[in-house]
Amino acid sequence: MKTILVPVDFSRVTPRVAAFAAKVTRRIGGRMVLLNVTQPRAILKNHGKLLDLVGFISGSESLNPENEAPVAGDSLELLGSPARVILEEAQRLEAEYIVMGTCQRRHTTGPAVGRVAQRVIRGAPCPVILVPAFTSVRPRTASKSYREKPLHV
Amino acid sequence: MEFILAPVDLREGTARVVDEAIKLAQRVEAHLIFLHVVDRPKRAAKTQRCAARIAAAEETAERQLLELKASALQRGVNAHSLRIAGNPVAEIVYQAKKTNAMCIVMGARQHGRLYELAIGSTLNAVLKRVSCPVVVVPIGRAILGTRAETSLARNP
């Protein structure tokens, strides 16, 4: 069965990441594995949050307003360096995709993704799906040349 | 009907991005749009030699795009191809919004930090401006081969 690995850090983008991962999992008929790489002192706090997210797998009503079918899946809590653990789990589970969120650095000149996501992209054995942290973007027009003349459709 | 946008630069590593895009489109039953943006420098186009080179590159790109489209159609995916002249980032963002793309499939080249600081990466700029998920296909050195092999592939 195809596995979609979903590393979560319980930031603002996490519900969007889990929702998109559930959508893809449902479409391709695979299984979704929520992975939280945690620190020893945060285990209890993060465990509660992970249980909340498991609703995406079991199809709880609050996380699934459109009443979509529940997806097959699992949740993991591991200790260690996030990027390394995510890559190891992706290899072990033979993940088809890794679904992660981007950080909210829209108006800065630096990279659009955080350090963990950058390391995961560099070492990933499979494609990485990045879900943006923001839902609305300022409408931007295409360059003038396109508006004048599409070359080939 | 949902669309997956696959911007391609038709350089080494494109085959892997295309393959992943087709696989995803097959699985989620979405239409696939191959987009190639020709970044046409205005000043250079004024000299005859540059204009001829750009025209030749555009012709090659057109042919390669049609080949990609045909390969997707062969694998049972509804594919479209689009070639546009303009700024790559602006065009990708615009097309994603216009088609209400389910996601964008892009390759990630492993540039060094200095390259990203001086030249920047299209993927990074797109990630900051789109609201739909972006499927990043890593194009590592292992896939591109050694530098000698790459230059041999370019100039056989």
Side-chain angles (χ1 to χ4, degrees):
Chain A
M1 190 181 248
K2 293 174 186 92
T3 303
I4 312 290
L5 185 64
V6 192
V8 287
D9 61 355
F10 312 112
S11 59
R12 214 175 61 177
V13 67
T14 297
R16 286 197 78 203
V17 172
F20 188 77
K23 183 178 165 187
V24 173
T25 312
R26 207 170 283 121
R27 292 276 192 93
I28 72 174
R31 121 192 137 102
M32 164 174 159
V33 177
L34 290 166
L35 168 67
N36 174 230
V37 186
T38 189
Q39 298 297 320
R41 63 181 175 188
I43 284 181
L44 280 178
K45 196 174 85 186
N46 286 352
H47 183 70
K49 289 178 184 172
L50 191 63
L51 287 184
D52 290 342
L53 272 186
V54 169
F56 277 103
I57 295 172
S58 57
S60 94
E61 275 180 27
S62 59
L63 294 175
N64 186 8
E66 289 168 18
N67 262 337
E68 301 255 25
V71 294
D74 212 342
S75 66
L76 291 171
E77 267 179 300
L78 300 171
L79 293 176
S81 150
R84 191 172 48 81
V85 173
I86 292 166
L87 290 174
E88 280 171 4
E89 284 305 298
Q91 294 248 337
R92 189 179 67 82
L93 297 167
E94 292 175 359
E96 205 73 13
Y97 297 105
I98 300 173
V99 187
M100 299 181 79
T102 63
C103 52
Q104 292 122 34
R105 293 180 191 163
R106 219 171 120 193
H107 302 294
T108 59
T109 51
V113 295
R115 240 183 301 173
V116 175
Q118 279 180 43
R119 282 182 194 162
V120 170
I121 291 169
R122 279 180 188 268
C126 58
V128 181
I129 304 182
L130 295 172
V131 181
F134 36 85
T135 48
S136 63
V137 280
R138 188 159 47 103
R140 296 175 82 98
T141 50
S143 47
K144 204 177 164 193
S145 56
Y146 172 69
R147 289 203 302 271
E148 284 167 358
K149 181 176 136 194
L151 291 172
H152 168 70
V153 181
Chain B
M1 186 166 48
E2 283 186 310
F3 290 98
I4 292 175
L5 189 66
V8 285
D9 57 5
L10 305 173
R11 289 195 289 162
E12 317 95 87
T14 298
R16 177 143 195 237
V17 178
V18 169
D19 185 50
E20 289 295 345
I22 293 176
K23 244 194 265 177
L24 185 64
Q26 274 175 333
R27 285 171 181 164
V28 302
E29 291 170 11
H31 286 231
L32 187 58
I33 304 173
F34 291 113
L35 171 68
H36 178 65
V37 185
V38 185
D39 200 356
R40 203 186 286 175
K42 280 179 190 163
R43 277 188 195 167
K46 280 180 187 165
T47 65
Q48 250 186 358
R49 201 168 148 207
C50 282
R53 273 190 186 181
I54 291 169
E58 284 182 352
E59 206 174 291
T60 316
E62 178 81 45
R63 206 181 53 242
Q64 285 175 314
L65 264 185
L66 290 177
E67 280 170 14
L68 293 183
K69 187 180 164 184
S71 73
L73 288 171
Q74 245 178 10
R75 286 166 70 175
V77 172
N78 280 319
H80 314 267
S81 66
L82 197 61
R83 185 166 62 83
I84 292 169
N87 176 288
V89 176
E91 296 298 343
I92 293 168
V93 174
Y94 178 74
Q95 290 298 329
K97 206 170 166 60
K98 192 178 152 198
T99 55
N100 197 15
M102 176 196 171
C103 61
I104 303 173
V105 184
M106 289 182 80
R109 290 180 198 284
Q110 315 233 324
H111 299 309
R113 278 168 204 265
L114 190 64
Y115 181 96
E116 296 217 343
L117 193 71
I119 297 167
S121 95
T122 310
L123 173 67
N124 194 41
V126 167
L127 271 171
K128 284 187 181 177
R129 292 178 196 175
V130 290
S131 58
C132 66
V134 178
V135 182
V136 181
V137 182
I139 307 173
R141 291 206 173 101
I143 297 155
L144 295 181
T146 60
R147 191 175 289 175
E149 279 169 11
T150 313
S151 79
L152 196 68
R154 272 193 204 144
N155 314 303

